[in-house]
Amino acid sequence: MLAVPASAADVDAGPLTSRDSLFPHQGNGGYNAQSYHLDLTYVRHGHALKGLTTMTARARQDLTSFGLDLEGLNVSRVWVNGVRASFHRGSDKLVVTPVRELRTGSIFTTRIQYAGVPHTHVDPDGSSEGWIPTADGVVALNEPVGAMTWFPNNNTPRDKARYRFTIHAPKRLEVASNGRLVRRTTRHGIGTWHYVMAKPMASYLAFLAIGQFKIHHGRTSDGIRLLSFTDPKVPAPTAALRKLPGILHWLQTQFGPYPFADAGFVDDKIGVDYALETQTRPTFDGTVPITDLVHELAHQWFGDAVTPADWGDIWLNEGFATYTEWLWAARTGESTEDQFTELLAAHPAGDPFWQTPPQDLGDPANLFGNAVYERGAMTLEALRETIGDVAFNTTIRQWYVGHRGQSTSTAEFIDLAEQTSGQDLTSFFHNWLDQPTRPTGW
Ligand code: ZN
């Protein structure tokens, strides 16, 4: 019998994966998102959501259908280029089939109408993300995969896009999100907040915080617009509010110009026990220690502006942000070299600390572990000691200036460090990033 050829429909369906090394089920191939508009109504009763998400994208292949990531929620209607499209749900997927096939290179717009009570997503390490109800509202945090609990999207850090938010909530509540607050209106007891995130953003960095907040406006001497939100029911983070402009200034002297036009932070009683580098406006859980503020602001350069394309490269975020904490401490206390030496002494060869290499996490539960934060930062200090201050500082600055707005990889970082230093760093990085043992002799 003749083998049945795959139908044209199968051939041209966009793959329902971004081929991420740790989260292969997330993300979708076949297109690149260019922009999202989220028009969302927060319903206080039951912390429910009504949404209309519009994604504009470019087809990278002929497409008979394409996927978006979406966990839970009820989808009622989908349009492609203004025409109703059919759709079905897979596990954490929405698969859209337009009436007409989309051609390679064409720009298309898809609009999804949906509603429901979004899920709080539990991560492989047991932490909570996604839609998180609070005492007076809700917070939506997305690292690594929570974005799909509140809007359909291409949920991979590989595919950055611009964002607009139109958020409706009861008028006595405040709404925080990414970027510039361009307008705020009230009608019939509903407040509508318009935010624009004009620079590319990975979906894991989008956020919402709705609740009762005290709002703090300001502007730095170099013109960055400041807008912060603090929960009046927790002790006011006065030191963080006061030090924010100075920390931003210091970071610019270290790494280059601040990547965005807006900055600030959100402090809310969330109960997740972590802070997150939500783009332009990091989110804190009820307390804003200065070291954590430095860490989340450092991520605006490393993570937010320069983003790893694959979750397996997350040391590029956390190693850099942790190293920046060391640099901050070194201004007035211990040098980075001393902080590094102390960690080395605390973890002799054979210590389980060394078992998980930053570039080979194996299990997504290790995403936010010591190997990523501490061994990641140690890798950078060891690199500085290997190539010297001048080449090291050039590498770090070039890494930001040459890759801002993009998604990139460890291989690119290694290339850059080799070019800048003129050294072959193959075995250096292999020992620090790939081996389940304590490096020696760097
Ligand atoms: Zn971090």
Side-chain angles (χ1 to χ4, degrees):
M1 217 173 88
L2 281 174
V4 181
S7 71
D10 288 338
V11 172
D12 289 339
L16 302 178
T17 174
S18 58
R19 305 186 205 290
D20 189 87
S21 64
L22 293 173
F23 296 89
H25 189 62
Q26 292 291 318
N28 304 274
Y31 66 88
N32 271 131
Q34 297 186 324
S35 67
Y36 293 92
H37 176 219
L38 275 50
D39 187 323
L40 308 178
T41 302
Y42 168 62
V43 183
R44 185 90 170 78
H45 183 73
H47 302 285
L49 177 68
K50 284 189 216 158
L52 190 59
T53 288
T54 307
M55 176 185 79
T56 301
R58 186 175 174 279
R60 301 181 58 200
Q61 58 172 82
D62 289 350
L63 286 171
T64 52
S65 71
F66 58 89
L68 295 128
D69 300 283
L70 185 64
E71 177 185 342
L73 297 163
N74 302 307
V75 175
S76 47
R77 287 176 192 193
V78 177
W79 295 262
V80 174
N81 294 332
V83 178
R84 286 281 288 273
S86 62
F87 61 91
H88 66 271
R89 300 296 300 273
S91 93
D92 296 345
K93 293 286 178 188
L94 169 69
V95 182
V96 177
T97 306
V99 175
R100 276 183 201 213
E101 189 175 321
L102 301 164
R103 291 285 165 207
T104 310
S106 64
I107 309 286
F108 65 95
T109 294
T110 184
R111 173 168 294 198
I112 297 122
Q113 182 185 292
Y114 57 100
V117 177
H119 294 175
T120 302
H121 185 95
V122 179
D123 285 328
D125 68 1
S127 58
S128 293
E129 53 153 343
W131 190 257
I132 302 164
T134 61
D136 54 3
V138 70
V139 172
L141 296 176
N142 300 346
E143 190 182 26
V145 301
M148 65 177 171
T149 68
W150 56 289
F151 66 100
N153 69 94
N154 193 22
N155 206 7
T156 163
R158 203 172 276 287
D159 192 8
K160 304 215 274 189
R162 292 175 178 79
Y163 281 72
R164 280 196 303 129
F165 301 84
T166 307
I167 312 296
H168 314 278
K171 76 165 196 274
R172 49 192 186 77
L173 300 181
E174 277 77 38
V175 176
S177 188
N178 310 92
R180 175 72 47 95
L181 173 61
V182 288
R183 203 151 27 101
R184 178 186 168 181
T185 56
T186 308
R187 242 183 98 197
H188 306 311
I190 300 290
T192 299
W193 300 63
H194 302 261
Y195 282 88
V196 175
M197 184 62 247
K199 293 275 169 68
M201 176 165 77
S203 48
Y204 82 89
L205 295 167
F207 88 108
L208 275 187
I210 304 178
Q212 273 155 355
F213 288 108
K214 190 165 169 357
I215 297 187
H216 311 262
H217 293 274
R219 195 185 270 272
T220 65
S221 55
D222 46 3
I224 302 165
R225 214 65 93 93
L226 301 176
L227 180 64
S228 295
F229 295 74
T230 60
D231 185 340
K233 288 189 285 304
V234 301
T238 41
L241 287 165
R242 186 163 35 83
K243 292 191 175 182
L244 174 66
I247 298 170
L248 285 170
H249 177 79
W250 176 77
L251 289 166
Q252 301 199 73
T253 65
Q254 300 295 306
F255 305 134
Y258 179 68
F260 311 112
D262 298 85
F265 65 83
V266 175
D267 183 24
D268 193 7
K269 204 169 180 223
I270 312 169
V272 288
D273 221 21
Y274 62 79
L276 186 61
E277 62 267 28
T278 42
Q279 190 156 308
T280 66
R281 205 160 279 122
T283 306
F284 296 84
D285 188 6
T287 161
V288 192
I290 297 305
T291 316
D292 295 12
L293 182 61
V294 168
H295 179 108
E296 304 309 334
L297 291 176
H299 275 309
Q300 302 304 311
W301 281 256
F302 304 112
D304 296 17
V306 181
T307 305
D310 189 284
W311 285 112
D313 284 334
I314 193 174
W315 83 276
L316 291 171
N317 288 4
E318 302 304 347
F320 279 62
T322 305
Y323 191 69
T324 310
E325 292 177 39
W326 297 8
L327 288 172
W328 176 258
R331 291 158 52 254
T332 51
E334 268 189 325
S335 67
T336 56
E337 191 173 350
D338 288 348
Q339 296 177 74
F340 173 67
T341 310
E342 252 171 51
L343 268 179
L344 274 178
H347 301 294
D351 187 314
F353 175 86
W354 300 106
Q355 273 166 18
T356 313
Q359 270 272 71
D360 190 8
L361 299 176
D363 184 337
N366 294 327
L367 202 60
F368 302 112
N370 281 344
V372 170
Y373 286 70
E374 295 189 323
R375 188 163 163 184
M378 293 170 88
T379 302
L380 291 176
E381 175 60 18
L383 178 65
R384 189 184 71 78
E385 294 179 15
T386 301
I387 66 177
D389 278 328
V390 175
F392 180 74
N393 291 336
T394 309
T395 302
I396 302 299
R397 282 168 167 271
Q398 273 304 318
W399 180 239
Y400 166 63
V401 171
H403 296 274
R404 57 191 284 188
Q406 302 171 6
S407 301
T408 182
S409 66
T410 300
E412 298 251 9
F413 181 71
I414 296 175
D415 275 357
L416 175 64
E418 290 192 331
Q419 269 171 39
T420 313
S421 65
Q423 294 184 31
D424 178 352
L425 298 168
T426 319
S427 64
F428 172 88
F429 281 110
H430 183 62
N431 292 338
W432 275 99
L433 299 177
D434 307 330
Q435 295 282 86
T437 47
R438 189 181 195 260
T440 47
W442 53 91

